[in-house]
Amino acid sequence: MAETFVLITGAWHGGWAWRPLAQHLRAAGHTVHTPTLPGLADGDDPTALHLSDVVDFVVGYVERHDLHDVTLVGHSWGGYPITGAAPRLAGRLRRLVYWSAFVPAAGRSLYDEVPPPYQELFSGVAAASGNNTVVLPYEVFSGAFIGDAPEPVRKLVYDLLVPHPMQYFTETVQPIDPATLGVPVAYVFSVDDVALPPGEYGWVPRFPDRLGVTAIEAPGSHEALFTEPAGLAEALLKA
């Protein structure tokens, strides 16, 4: 049966990043929406925006397009806006899917959930930016986020990334209660994803456990939407 997907990117990405994956989903007969979030379009002024504005945008996008029976997918930092939006959209959702994503806990921001070296990196880069934004150094992105791509692809994707508002990393959302949300919830994990190091700070089992689910495996790295779009599409449809 055809589904309607709304795909919410992680940090530094716009809706353009979903194109390889969206092509696979559309070829299988599904409708796919890939919005670019506030503050993450090329040229956006991020200084007056807050995480709540992103949540409002996701809710407004689904309502404005009058979408129903939606599979709402969040990648990485995108777990925050989909978590904030899900209770307000519950009547329009078919499924809520986290893909290698943060699952928020009460009072904890993304900054609280990453290892101390990332905290130091984010704080230092934001302080030096002049507008409280974060850009990953190429070496970090290349090695930890997209290590399964050839070097020219790593460089191309990196050059397309945009600065991410630091406040999106330090502000919080109310966590969901899967038992009362009234919408099936799933977690998909790319098996070669080392953007968060395995162990205490790893994606799994930490975040699937918060949802009370077992992670569904997908191929590829944290940037599998570029490197393994067919396998990722299959995993999202299975979720």
Side-chain angles (χ1 to χ4, degrees), residues 48-65:
L49 294 166
H50 295 276
L51 183 55
S52 59
D53 295 315
V54 184
V55 172
D56 289 344
F57 174 85
V58 174
V59 173
Y61 184 92
V62 172
E63 293 179 343
R64 185 168 62 254
H65 289 82

Side-chain angles (χ1 to χ4, degrees), residues 119-137:
Q119 293 179 344
E120 295 168 8
L121 172 64
F122 293 168
S123 296
V125 171
S129 69
N131 61 358
N132 199 40
T133 60
V134 177
V135 178
L136 284 176

Side-chain angles (χ1 to χ4, degrees), residues 203-220:
W203 302 105
V204 293
R206 179 168 55 143
F207 294 127
D209 284 353
R210 288 186 184 174
L211 298 172
V213 301
T214 300
I216 296 168
E217 293 186 348

Side-chain angles (χ1 to χ4, degrees), residues 5-212:
F5 285 86
V6 176
L7 307 178
I8 302 301
T9 56
W12 305 291
H13 295 64
W16 54 267
W18 292 112
R19 182 168 173 78
L21 172 69
Q23 287 180 314
H24 285 279
L25 293 173
R26 289 172 181 142
H30 305 291
T31 299
V32 184
H33 293 256
T34 60
T36 294
L37 303 177
L40 293 173
D42 188 33
D44 275 2
D45 177 4
T47 56
L49 294 166
H50 295 276
L51 183 55
S52 59
D53 295 315
V54 184
V55 172
D56 289 344
F57 174 85
V58 174
V59 173
Y61 184 92
V62 172
E63 293 179 343
R64 185 168 62 254
H65 289 82
D66 197 24
L67 303 179
H68 295 271
D69 207 26
V70 171
T71 297
L72 182 62
V73 179
H75 177 220
S76 194
W77 163 81
Y80 279 84
I82 70 167
T83 296
R88 296 164 59 183
L89 293 174
R92 294 176 178 266
L93 298 182
R94 176 178 183 174
R95 291 181 295 161
L96 186 66
V97 182
Y98 295 80
W99 162 48
S100 284
F102 293 86
V103 177
R108 292 184 64 82
S109 67
L110 181 145
Y111 186 87
D112 298 318
E113 301 283 11
V114 300
Y118 274 147
Q119 293 179 344
E120 295 168 8
L121 172 64
F122 293 168
S123 296
V125 171
S129 69
N131 61 358
N132 199 40
T133 60
V134 177
V135 178
L136 284 176
Y138 175 72
E139 294 75 16
V140 175
F141 178 75
S142 176
F145 284 67
I146 194 169
D148 58 341
E151 184 70 11
V153 175
R154 300 184 201 187
K155 289 182 176 178
L156 174 61
V157 174
Y158 182 78
D159 286 344
L160 293 171
L161 302 180
V162 298
H164 195 80
M166 179 65 170
Q167 63 270 23
Y168 289 1
F169 287 161
T170 58
E171 296 173 352
T172 63
V173 297
Q174 185 68 25
I176 60 167
D177 178 1
T180 61
L181 182 63
V183 177
V185 178
Y187 197 96
V188 174
F189 170 65
S190 290
V191 294
D192 295 321
D193 187 345
V194 292
L196 288 180
E200 177 186 1
Y201 288 100
W203 302 105
V204 293
R206 179 168 55 143
F207 294 127
D209 284 353
R210 288 186 184 174
L211 298 172

